[in-house]
C-alpha cells in the first residue's frame, strides 16, 4: 500500500474512532482510580441480606387458630435493614400486619431518622386463610454503611411453601413457567444486534464495529482487484469512502440544521459541534449514494477500474446495510420495560414499569464519565421542552453520596434520578458502555438505543421515533 493510501486509511480510522472513544466500561464502586485501593468488598443484595428459606417448622398455630409465619434474615456485617421498608402484601396488594421488633435508631442519608437492624432480624406475619389472597409478596430494603443503598428486594411466598395444605389449588408463581416457551425469542429477534459489543475491558458501539469491518473488507477486496487488473483500485476506493463520509455527515447536519443552529445562535463558538462526530450523526444512505456516484464519475472512462471500485464499495455497503437493518429494524427479544425497582434520589422506591403509558427515555450514566456530563444539559433541557416524554437517569455503580454531590452542580428532578449501585439496569440491557440511552414508546416497547454521547440533533432524531411531532405536546 502506498504512503498516500496509508495516510488516508489512518485518517479514516481516526474519524471512525471518534464514535467510540468515550464508550467506557462500567466499574464496580470503589474500583476507579481516584478511590483508595483498600475499598471494602461490595456484596450483592442476596449476600448482604440473606432471607432464610421458609419452612413449615417456622409456622406456629395460636390458640385462636391463627397461623403465624416467622421470617428471618441474616444481615452481613457493615449492612443494615430498614424497619419501615418491611412489607408483606397479599395477591390483591393489601398489606398483611407484621410483628416487627424495635430497631436501632439511625440518621440515614436517604430516609432521615429511621430504625434499622444489624446482624439478624426475625419478624412474624399472620397467614391469610382465603385462597384468593395467595401468593404473598415480601419486600425489604437495606443499605451498606459505606454509602451504598440497595434496591427494594422481593420474594414470593406460595401457599405450599407456607404449609397451607388446604390451599393446594391456589395459583403460585411456578405456573409462570408455562410462558417460558412463548418468551423464547424468534430467529429474527435472535439476529438483532446489541447496542455495543464488549471486547476485553472496552465496550464499542456495534455500528462503529460494523464500519470498521466494512472498511477493511472493502479494502481487502480492492487489493485483490488491484493485483488482478493493475489499476489503482485502492486509492479510488479510499477517495470514494472519504467523499461518502463527508456527505453522510453533511446530509445529517442539513437534516437537523435547526438543532445545530440553536446553540450557534447563542454562542458562535458552538459551530464546532457541527464537526463533532461523537454524537453519531451520520446519514448512511446519503453517504453510500455519494460514494457510488464519486467512484462512477472518477472511473467513467476506465471500465475495468470502475468495476473493481464499485465491487469493493458493494462489499462494504452490504456489511453496513446488513448491520443497520439488524440493529435498527429488528426488534430485540427484550423489548419491554424491565421489572426493576430502584431507589430514587428522593429516597422513594421506583418501579420502571410504573412509567408505562408515556414515551420514556432511560439514560445510564456515572459522574466520572465525561461524555455523560457533556450530554446531561442536553437531556435536562429536552425534559423541559418535551413534558409529555419522561426522562429517567439511572446512575451506574456509584453510592448515594456521590450522586447527591453531582446533583448539586447539575440540578435534575430527584424523583427521576435512580440509584443502581449493583448495575442491575446495565445487566438487564447487557450494557457496559456509558453513556447509554434507551427510548421506549408509550406502549412500553423499546424502539431505539444509543451508545455514546447525544447532541441536540441526535436526541431529537430519537425522540421523533417515540413521540412523533403529531403526538408531541
Amino acid at each position: 500500500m502506498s504512503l498516500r493510501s496509508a495516510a488516508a486509511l489512518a485518517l479514516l480510522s481516526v474519524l471512525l474512532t471518534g464514535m467510540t472513544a468515550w464508550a467506557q466500561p462500567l466499574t464496580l464502586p470503589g474500583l476507579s482510580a481516584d478511590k483508595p485501593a483498600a475499598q471494602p468488598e461490595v456484596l450483592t443484595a442476596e449476600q448482604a441480606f440473606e432471607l432464610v428459606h421458609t419452612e413449615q417448622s417456622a409456622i406456629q398455630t395460636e390458640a385462636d387458630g391463627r397461623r403465624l409465619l416467622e421470617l428471618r434474615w441474616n444481615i452481613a456485617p457493615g449492612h443494615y435493614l430498614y424497619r419501615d421498608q418491611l412489607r408483606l402484601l397479599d395477591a390483591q396488594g393489601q398489606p398483611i400486619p407484621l410483628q416487627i421488633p424495635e430497631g436501632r435508631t439511625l440518621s440515614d442519608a436517604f430516609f432521615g431518622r429511621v430504625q434499622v437492624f444489624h446482624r439478624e432480624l426475625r419478624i412474624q406475619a399472620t397467614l391469610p386463610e382465603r385462597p384468593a389472597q395467595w401468593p404473598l409478596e415480601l419486600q425489604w430494603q437495606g443499605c451498606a454503611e459505606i454509602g451504598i443503598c440497595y434496591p427494594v428486594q422481593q420474594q414470593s411466598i406460595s401457599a405450599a411453601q407456607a404449609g397451607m395444605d388446604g390451599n393446594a389449588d391456589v395459583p403460585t408463581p411456578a405456573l409462570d413457567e408455562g410462558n417460558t416457551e412463548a418468551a423464547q425469542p424468534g430467529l429474527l429477534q435472535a439476529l438483532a444486534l446489541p447496542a455495543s459489543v464488549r471486547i476485553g475491558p472496552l465496550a464499542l458501539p456495534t455500528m462503529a464495529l460494523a464500519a470498521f469491518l466494512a472498511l477493511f473488507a472493502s479494502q481487502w477486496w480492492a487489493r485483490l482487484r488491484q493485483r488482478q487488473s493493475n489499476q489503482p483500485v485502492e486509492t479510488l476506493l479510499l477517495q470514494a469512502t472519504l467523499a461518502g463520509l463527508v456527505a453522510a455527515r453533511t446530509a445529517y447536519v442539513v437534516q437537523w440544521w435547526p438543532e445545530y443552529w440553536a446553540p450557534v445562535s447563542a454562542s458562535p463558538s458552538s459551530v464546532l459541534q457541527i464537526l463533532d462526530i461523537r454524537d453519531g450523526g451520520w446519514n448512511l444512505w446519503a453517504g453510500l449514494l455519494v460514494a457510488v456516484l464519486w467512484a462512477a464519475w472518477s472511473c467513467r472512462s476506465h471500465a475495468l477500474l470502475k468495476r473493481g471500485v464499485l465491487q469493493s464499495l458493494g462489499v462494504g455497503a452490504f456489511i453496513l446495510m446488513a448491520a443497520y437493518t439488524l440493529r435498527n429494524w429488528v426488534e430485540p427479544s427484550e423489548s419491554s420495560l424491565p421489572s426493576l425497582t430502584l431507589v430514587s434520589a428522593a429516597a422513594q422506591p421506583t418501579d420502571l414499569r410504573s412509567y408505562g403509558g408515556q414515551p420514556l427515555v432511560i439514560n445510564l450514566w456515572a459522574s466520572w464519565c465525561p461524555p455523560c456530563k457533556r450530554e446531561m444539559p442536553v437531556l435536562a433541557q429536552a425534559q423541559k421542552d418535551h413534558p409529555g416524554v419522561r426522562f429517567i437517569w439511572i446512575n451506574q455503580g456509584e453510592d448515594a453520596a456521590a450522586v447527591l454531590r453531582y446533583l448539586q452542580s447539575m440540578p435534575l428532578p430527584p424523583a427521576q434520578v435512580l440509584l443502581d449501585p449493583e448495575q442491575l439496569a446495565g445487566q438487564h440491557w447487557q450494557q457496559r458502555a456509558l453513556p447509554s440511552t434507551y427510548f421506549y414508546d408509550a406502549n412500553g416497547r423499546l424502539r431505539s438505543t444509543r451508545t455514546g454521547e447525544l447532541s441536540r440533533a441526535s436526541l431529537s432524531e430519537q425522540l421523533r421515533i417515540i413521540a412523533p411531532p403529531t403526538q408531541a405536546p
Side-chain angles (χ1 to χ4, degrees), residues 9 15 58 86 104 118 247 304 309 434 444 463:
L9 181 58
L15 290 174
L86 292 164
R104 174 186 173 186
H118 296 80
L304 189 60
V309 175
L434 294 182
L463 290 179

Side-chain angles (χ1 to χ4, degrees), residues 24 70 104 131 256 261 352 356 363 379 381 392 406 441 448 460 462 464:
Q24 302 183 23
E70 182 181 79
R104 174 186 173 186
W256 299 99
W261 175 249
L352 290 183
N363 178 253
L379 294 169
Q381 184 61 44
I392 300 297
Y406 179 76
D441 61 19
S448 180
S460 297
Q462 300 298 334
R464 180 169 293 186

Side-chain angles (χ1 to χ4, degrees), residues 113-178:
R113 195 169 182 81
V114 295
Q115 289 189 0
V116 299
F117 301 97
H118 296 80
R119 300 292 182 181
E120 185 184 59
L121 171 63
R122 294 173 182 264
I123 66 175
Q124 287 185 324
T126 301
L127 295 179
E129 298 180 355
R130 292 188 293 112
Q133 292 180 275
W134 293 87
L136 309 180
E137 183 179 279
L138 178 64
Q139 299 178 358
W140 67 95
Q141 184 182 10
C143 281
E145 293 176 353
I146 60 175
I148 296 176
C149 190
Y150 294 87
V152 174
Q153 303 297 304
Q154 299 178 344
Q155 174 72 49
S156 179
I157 302 177
S158 67
Q161 287 176 308
M164 302 294 285
D165 297 333
N167 296 329
D169 296 332
V170 177
T172 68
L175 294 179
D176 293 339
E177 296 177 358

Side-chain angles (χ1 to χ4, degrees), residues 13 29 53 127 140 303 307 309 440 461 464:
S13 299
H53 293 295
L127 295 179
W140 67 95
R307 187 182 309 115
V309 175
Y440 286 83
E461 179 185 14
R464 180 169 293 186

Side-chain angles (χ1 to χ4, degrees), residues 49 330 374:
F49 315 107
V330 177
R374 287 198 300 266

Side-chain angles (χ1 to χ4, degrees), residues 334-383:
E334 291 291 342
S335 61
S336 59
L337 279 169
S339 179
L340 185 62
T341 300
L342 301 171
V343 178
S344 71
Q348 295 297 324
T350 303
D351 186 349
L352 290 183
R353 292 194 175 182
S354 65
Y355 293 108
Q358 61 183 326
L360 179 66
V361 178
I362 299 178
N363 178 253
L364 304 187
W365 66 283
S367 63
W368 50 260
C369 168
C372 298
K373 294 181 179 180
R374 287 198 300 266
E375 74 174 3
M376 197 71 75
V378 175
L379 294 169
Q381 184 61 44
Q383 176 63 101

Side-chain angles (χ1 to χ4, degrees), residues 23-43:
Q24 302 183 23
L26 300 182
T27 58
L28 286 175
L31 296 184
S32 58
D34 58 341
K35 294 186 179 181
Q39 187 80 4
E41 180 185 1
V42 178
L43 303 180

